[in-house]
Amino acid sequence: MNEVTAVRPQAGAGDSEESVPHSIEAERHVLGAILTNNALHDGISTILKPEHFYEPVHARIYDIAGQRIARGALASPVTLKAFLEEDEGLKLLGGPRYLVQLAGSAISSFAARDYAQMIHDMAVRRELIALGQDISAKAQKIDISSEPGEQIVEAEQALYRLAEQGSSDQGFKSFLRSATEAVQVAAAAYQRDGGLAGISTGLVDLDRKLGGLHKSDLLILAGRPAMGKTSLAVNIAFNVAKAYRKGVLPDGTEGAVNGGVVGLFSLEMAADQLAARILSDAAEVPSELIRKGELNESEFRRFVDAAKDFEAAPLFIDDTPAITIAQLSARARRLKRTHGLDVIIVDYLQLLNGAGRSDNRVNEISEITRGLKAIAKELNIPVIALSQLSRQVESREDKRPQLSDLRESGSIEQDADVVMFVFREEYYKEREKPSEHELEKMAAWQDAMSRIHGKAELIIGKQRHGPIGTVELSFDGRFTRFGNLAKEWQGGGEESFH
């Protein structure tokens, strides 16, 4: 039978109808199969939507049939006739008789899904053509409201959405498939150093609490200024990137079998300052000497050697200030596409801008945290986002933070899988130093300082898939380094995180 010539979507400029990918015959076969065997719709509907049809009348027939089948009603040429009798497009094709012709062109049930996939693929090709034409048209039009950089971000987002079309709508999984995936996670944990299900942070006690950094998780790391949240995030980034080892994963694909590729978005601190912190730690050269340029020859040599050792580590820093959540998402996708990506760290989320630029800051933060969680799920990687705490912490006698201290806390707490707080009691105790002539107070203060010196607490206030509690860490302010804290029963001093 000849291809239908009813009204169709307009082809792009310079494209003839024949040059646009489509198959009216395939569409007829699929519709015929559904109208004669409604049970086929369930399997086909996971890959084929009404908008994938090239012929608008076919799209309407598929849509109405799908709605009836979803309600448990019969979809046949007779039952659909009442809904389409006044359809002008169907009249051009011969009216209700065309529905009978469709049923007569039905193909075997086992071939229906292949034809449905062909229709879907051709629709994607048409979208690619339309997207290319749209990008070209926008680039040619000089508009002050649409800068080239924004156009690039929009184009990347559109292409990525097209590439991922259908990947998030997988429907039910059989228990066998889910169990197989669980076994693969366990196998990866068995092969990875430390036997963790997730990526190791390099901090042993934290890894025990979290089981490592898990794919698709959003982790919030919060703290008051000077608590060291940026330092801790940088330490984790250092550990993950330094431990990176590529190999074959249990599912047969290539990827990180240890450590990972890290993308660090620093909205507050310049990339060279972050690099200096990392190298200060690696070379064990005090960070203030680096800033002042007061290094002796030995220290400078260690600093340069550390830079050489670390140059191959897969740590990528983006220090663009005030980017939007959409821009961050686009850059993360690009990094994953070009170099791979296993962990994202954002310092810090209150410096991100939402797409809508809402006047209501709470709503904007909600949009940002939802966006970060969406990135974690979409790219299937852990995302660590740093967050500020409100000043109400300072007004309490016990200044250990809690969930209610999160600024614009509702959405942050709700969207996060893990919420952690950095707390250094030493910082507050230093500011309580008594005067020299108060001997008893001075003795008590010195005793307290000796117990908490060089120690930090990482308070896990929420963990969706595990216990809450407190992890004790060491902190060395000279190198802005957090590390594993040796317990008294273990003997010895503090253990570096290396």
Side-chain angles (χ1 to χ4, degrees):
M1 185 173 288
N2 292 332
E3 292 198 340
V4 181
T5 56
V7 179
R8 300 191 180 94
Q10 292 295 316
D15 288 325
S16 67
E17 190 174 277
E18 289 72 22
S19 69
V20 179
H22 67 283
S23 174
I24 299 300
E25 190 176 358
E27 293 180 8
R28 287 170 55 85
H29 287 326
V30 168
L31 289 174
I34 291 171
L35 293 179
T36 55
N37 183 0
N38 287 180
L40 293 175
H41 182 267
D42 285 344
I44 289 173
S45 64
T46 58
I47 56 173
L48 192 60
K49 308 299 178 190
E51 58 268 24
H52 293 147
F53 285 84
Y54 182 71
E55 168 56 62
V57 177
H58 290 171
R60 291 193 288 275
I61 293 171
Y62 183 76
D63 187 30
I64 294 170
Q67 290 182 49
R68 285 188 59 79
I69 294 168
R71 293 199 300 267
L74 177 67
S76 69
V78 176
T79 59
L80 263 59
K81 176 183 174 182
F83 297 95
L84 292 162
E85 272 184 324
E86 301 305 316
D87 190 291
E88 294 298 326
L90 186 63
K91 287 179 182 178
L92 289 173
L93 297 175
R97 284 188 300 108
Y98 184 68
L99 297 174
V100 178
Q101 292 172 4
L102 284 178
S105 65
I107 52 171
S108 58
S109 58
F110 70 84
R113 189 175 176 87
D114 289 337
Y115 276 84
Q117 186 66 55
M118 186 200 322
I119 296 167
H120 172 274
D121 292 347
M122 287 182 172
V124 172
R125 290 176 183 273
R126 293 197 300 274
E127 286 191 57
L128 274 171
I129 292 169
L131 180 58
Q133 291 168 345
D134 185 51
I135 292 170
S136 177
K138 283 185 177 179
Q140 291 177 37
K141 183 180 178 183
I142 299 175
D143 187 348
I144 194 168
S145 65
S146 182
E147 296 294 329
E150 293 176 358
Q151 290 180 11
I152 292 171
V153 170
E154 288 175 7
E156 280 189 326
Q157 286 177 314
L159 278 168
Y160 196 84
R161 279 195 298 269
L162 196 56
E164 295 296 302
Q165 199 174 68
S167 64
S168 61
D169 185 21
Q170 298 175 347
F172 288 106
K173 293 181 181 178
S174 69
F175 182 76
L176 174 61
R177 181 177 170 188
S178 301
T180 301
E181 291 175 358
V183 170
Q184 288 174 348
V185 171
Y190 181 76
Q191 291 180 1
R192 187 177 285 121
D193 292 349
L196 299 172
I199 298 170
S200 172
T201 63
L203 302 167
V204 176
D205 292 332
L206 178 59
D207 284 341
R208 287 197 186 105
K209 279 281 189 186
L210 300 181
L213 304 173
H214 295 271
K215 292 178 179 180
S216 81
D217 273 4
L218 172 60
L219 302 94
I220 300 296
L221 179 59
R224 288 292 294 155
M227 287 296 103
K229 55 184 182 293
T230 297
S231 298
L232 180 55
V234 168
N235 288 174
I236 291 172
F238 175 97
N239 294 344
V240 173
K242 191 70 175 174
Y244 176 68
R245 185 163 53 86
K246 192 174 182 180
V248 179
L249 301 174
D251 63 0
T253 61
E254 275 200 347
V257 293
N258 201 46
V261 180
V262 182
L264 176 53
F265 291 88
S266 177
L267 286 78
E268 187 177 38
M269 191 178 296
D272 60 336
Q273 293 174 320
L274 281 175
R277 279 197 177 195
I278 291 170
L279 295 178
S280 162
D281 183 0
E284 296 195 341
V285 176
S287 54
E288 69 270 12
L289 297 184
I290 298 172
R291 287 196 302 272
K292 296 175 185 176
E294 297 177 355
L295 302 178
N296 59 37
E297 186 178 344
S298 172
E299 290 167 337
F300 183 72
R301 189 180 298 114
R302 292 207 308 274
F303 187 77
V304 172
D305 288 344
K308 289 179 180 177
D309 290 342
F310 202 72
E311 63 185 7
L315 174 57
F316 300 88
I317 301 173
D318 186 326
D319 61 359
T320 310
I323 61 173
T324 65
I325 186 68
Q327 289 172 321
L328 187 148
S329 179
R331 294 177 188 195
R333 293 188 199 106
R334 190 186 311 153
L335 181 57
K336 183 164 187 175
R337 198 168 58 245
T338 54
H339 294 93
L341 184 59
D342 298 290
V343 179
I344 288 176
I345 296 175
V346 181
D347 183 16
Y348 55 93
L349 71 84
Q350 279 86 3
L351 291 178
L352 282 170
N353 291 318
R357 297 187 180 274
S358 170
D359 292 334
N360 187 322
R361 184 57 178 163
V362 174
N363 289 345
E364 189 174 20
I365 291 294
S366 297
E367 180 189 348
I368 290 166
T369 55
R370 281 197 306 271
L372 290 172
K373 177 60 179 176
I375 292 169
K377 291 183 71 175
E378 180 183 307
L379 301 183
N380 197 30
I381 58 173
V383 173
I384 302 174
L386 278 58
S387 177
Q388 289 181 329
L389 291 178
S390 66
R391 289 190 177 89
Q392 67 189 32
V393 174
E394 312 292 343
S395 62
R396 295 198 300 266
E397 185 175 345
D398 184 358
K399 294 178 172 52
R400 284 174 176 80
Q402 51 199 32
L403 289 172
S404 60
D405 296 323
L406 284 167
R407 290 182 64 175
E408 299 94 16
S409 64
S411 61
I412 298 176
E413 181 183 342
Q414 176 182 314
D415 294 324
D417 297 282
V418 177
V419 179
M420 302 178 288
F421 303 101
V422 188
F423 176 69
R424 291 194 300 114
E425 188 177 359
E426 182 180 11
Y427 173 83
Y428 292 107
K429 185 62 72 175
E430 280 177 340
R431 282 145 186 79
E432 297 174 6
K433 184 177 181 179
S435 59
E436 295 292 340
H437 66 274
E438 296 178 288
L439 299 181
E440 288 187 12
K441 288 184 178 180
M442 176 61 78
W445 178 82
Q446 288 174 335
D447 181 57
M449 283 295 290
S450 67
R451 282 186 285 104
I452 61 177
H453 177 67
K455 295 180 181 179
E457 295 176 28
L458 191 56
I459 302 164
I460 301 173
K462 174 188 176 182
Q463 186 176 186
R464 204 183 298 277
H465 307 296
I468 60 174
T470 300
V471 175
E472 291 188 330
L473 303 172
S474 67
F475 178 74
D476 191 332
R478 295 172 302 163
F479 314 130
T480 60
R481 173 199 293 171
F482 285 86
N484 299 308
L485 186 65
K487 307 298 188 294
E488 291 182 8
W489 55 269
Q490 292 174 313
E494 295 170 358
E495 179 190 350
S496 164
F497 67 84
H498 294 299

